[in-house]
């Protein structure tokens, strides 16, 4: 049953950001047009990385019989190499955009993330962790490493062949900065990890939970920035994604596959992004991240286009109550299973 949804602002407890939940805006504002995206195998740069002269880092499980392959991005957002210390130009701080930007290719061309098995997602987790640790060790100036996956042009993907990406930055991204400092402040005031408190509340409310297994829980956050956004958290909170015990990879793979499948069934396979938020590489706060931060994975269907309010205020307008989004997503299983 869809209840009455009043317009209200809700504040993100960690970052302090406000989100406007607006029932006044029709759901019709959710864009559902999908551009033609499919490109055939022929001429695909990721189908045979050797033949297409990609800089191969390594294949998983090995270079011959690979299911996934890490290659260097030919058009990296940050150039390979080590960033120097920060510099200034006139009034401004500047920083050489040096780091590491890899593509992580899935073997099969003709599938989308909606077709990935839970084993494929679990393999992806193994590859993400291994490459994360390698970059961490070799790039002494990196402040942050982001792992993400773009599905579709509406989500920033320019090549059809399924692939994730991993990129290191010599600066701390603003989104991460907000969460790190917000959760640190909470810890200083209350002596507790804010993520544990939020998770406890979500579990108690039980309205927005979409999926859970032994080690992970997925829910539509009370302050969802985007319609049908889902976050997956480890039940045993930990600051660092890359140290996730190997035996939990399959549980995380299963969680991602379940949530992606539900989004596909409810929203007719929209383009989407997922990304992992984990602790920064450098601890400038003199406290262990583990005391106050928790890594998580966010899945964001790309349903709406940002307008003047978002650009002008950084306040996002969400037209779907996360309670309803979660209810629909949970129900998706009943329709299909
Ligand atoms: Zn391909």
């Amino acid at each position: 049953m869809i209840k009455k949804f009043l317009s209200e602002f809700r504040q993100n407890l960690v970052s302090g950001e406000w989100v406007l939940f607006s029932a006044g805006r029709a759901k019709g504002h959710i864009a559902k047009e999908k551009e033609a995206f499919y490109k055939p195998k022929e001429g695909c740069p990721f189908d045979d990385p050797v033949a297409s002269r990609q800089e191969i880092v390594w294949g998983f499980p090995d270079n011959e019989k690979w299911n996934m392959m890490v290659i260097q991005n030919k058009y990296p957002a940050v150039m390979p190499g080590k960033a120097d210390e920060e510099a200034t130009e006139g009034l401004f701080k500047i920083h050489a955009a040096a780091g590491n930007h890899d593509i992580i290719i899935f073997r099969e061309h003709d599938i989308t993330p909606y077709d990935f098995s839970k084993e494929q997602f679990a393999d992806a987790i193994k590859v993400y962790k291994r490459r994360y640790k390698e970059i961490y060790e070799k790039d002494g100036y990196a402040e942050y490493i982001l792992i993400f996956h773009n599905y579709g042009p509406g989500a920033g993907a320019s090549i059809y062949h399924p692939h994730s990406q991993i990129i290191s930055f010599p600066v701390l991204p603003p989104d991460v900065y907000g969460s790190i400092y917000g959760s640190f402040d909470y810890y200083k005031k209350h002596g507790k990890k804010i993520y544990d408190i939020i998770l406890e509340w979500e579990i108690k409310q039980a309205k927005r939970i979409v999926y859970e297994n032994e080690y992970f829980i997925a829910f539509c956050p009370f302050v969802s920035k985007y319609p049908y956004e889902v976050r997956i958290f480890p039940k045993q909170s930990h600051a660092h994604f890359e140290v996730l015990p190997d035996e939990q990879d399959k549980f995380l793979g299963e969680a991602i596959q379940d949530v992606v499948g539900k989004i596909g069934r409810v929203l007719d396979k929209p383009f989407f992004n997922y990304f992992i938020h984990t602790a920064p590489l450098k601890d400038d706060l003199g406290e262990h991240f583990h005391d106050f931060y928790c890594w998580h994975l966010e899945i964001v269907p790309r349903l709406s286009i940002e307008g003047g309010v978002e650009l002008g205020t950084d306040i996002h307008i969400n037209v779907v109550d996360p309670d309803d989004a979660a209810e629909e997503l949970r129900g998706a299983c009943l329709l299909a299973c």
Side-chain angles (χ1 to χ4, degrees), residues 7 169 316:
S7 292
F169 297 101
H316 290 260

Side-chain angles (χ1 to χ4, degrees), residues 15-31:
S15 66
E17 285 173 292
W18 289 94
V19 175
L20 172 54
F21 290 83
S22 176
R25 301 198 144 204
K27 255 194 187 183
H29 276 262
I30 294 180

Side-chain angles (χ1 to χ4, degrees), residues 41 44-47 109 161:
K41 235 175 165 156
C44 171
F46 296 163
D47 234 60
H109 178 96
H161 194 113

Side-chain angles (χ1 to χ4, degrees), residues 76-115:
V78 291
M79 303 311 279
K82 285 189 172 179
D84 286 329
E85 298 288 350
E86 207 167 75
T88 54
E89 183 161 330
L91 305 171
F92 300 96
K93 280 185 189 172
I94 57 167
H95 220 306
N100 197 96
H101 190 174
D102 294 335
I103 305 273
I104 298 168
I105 304 170
F106 291 75
R107 182 89 202 217
E108 292 163 81
H109 178 96
D110 285 308
I111 58 170
T112 76
Y114 290 112
D115 308 311

Side-chain angles (χ1 to χ4, degrees), residues 51 62 66 74 134 148 167 192 223 247 250 270 282 305 325:
D62 58 55
W66 59 279
K74 276 195 175 171
E134 286 176 357
F148 64 102
I167 183 168
K192 284 178 184 164
V223 194
E247 62 270 23
K250 67 174 183 181
K282 288 180 185 159
I305 291 173

Side-chain angles (χ1 to χ4, degrees), residues 173-319:
D175 192 301
V176 178
Y177 184 96
S179 302
I180 289 295
Y181 281 86
S183 54
F184 183 52
D185 275 349
Y186 190 91
Y187 171 71
K188 275 191 298 183
K189 275 184 208 138
H190 305 278
K192 284 178 184 164
K193 196 187 278 197
I194 195 166
Y195 294 95
D196 293 342
I197 307 292
I198 293 173
L199 221 61
E200 230 172 76
W201 189 69
E202 288 291 357
I203 289 168
K204 202 172 145 203
Q205 285 229 319
K207 285 193 277 191
R208 286 171 296 277
I209 294 166
V210 173
Y211 171 86
E212 72 180 298
N213 62 34
E214 210 171 325
Y215 295 104
F216 295 94
I217 185 159
F219 57 92
C220 296
F222 179 72
V223 194
S224 295
K225 231 177 186 179
Y226 306 100
Y228 301 94
E229 161 191 346
V230 180
R231 297 191 183 191
I232 301 175
F233 277 80
K235 285 183 173 172
Q236 280 294 320
S237 75
H238 200 288
H240 299 275
F241 160 74
E242 76 277 12
V243 299
L244 178 73
D246 293 343
E247 62 270 23
Q248 292 185 24
D249 294 346
K250 67 174 183 181
F251 291 92
L252 180 55
E254 202 173 298
I256 301 171
Q257 197 232 13
D258 184 276
V259 172
V260 166
K262 283 171 173 161
I263 287 172
R265 290 198 284 278
V266 168
L267 300 166
D268 190 21
K269 300 185 177 175
F271 297 137
F272 68 86
N273 304 96
Y274 68 74
F275 49 87
I276 294 169
H277 272 160
T278 184
L281 302 178
K282 288 180 185 159
D283 184 0
D284 298 329
L285 297 166
E287 296 275 351
H288 293 294
F289 289 120
H290 188 58
D291 290 333
F292 56 91
Y293 189 72
C294 181
W295 76 268
H296 53 276
L297 186 144
E298 305 188 17
I299 304 175
V300 182
R302 299 303 292 266
L303 303 167
S304 48
I305 291 173
E306 308 201 318
V309 172
E310 285 86 353
L311 287 174
T313 64
D314 243 355
I315 290 174
H316 290 260
I317 301 178
N318 188 342
V319 295

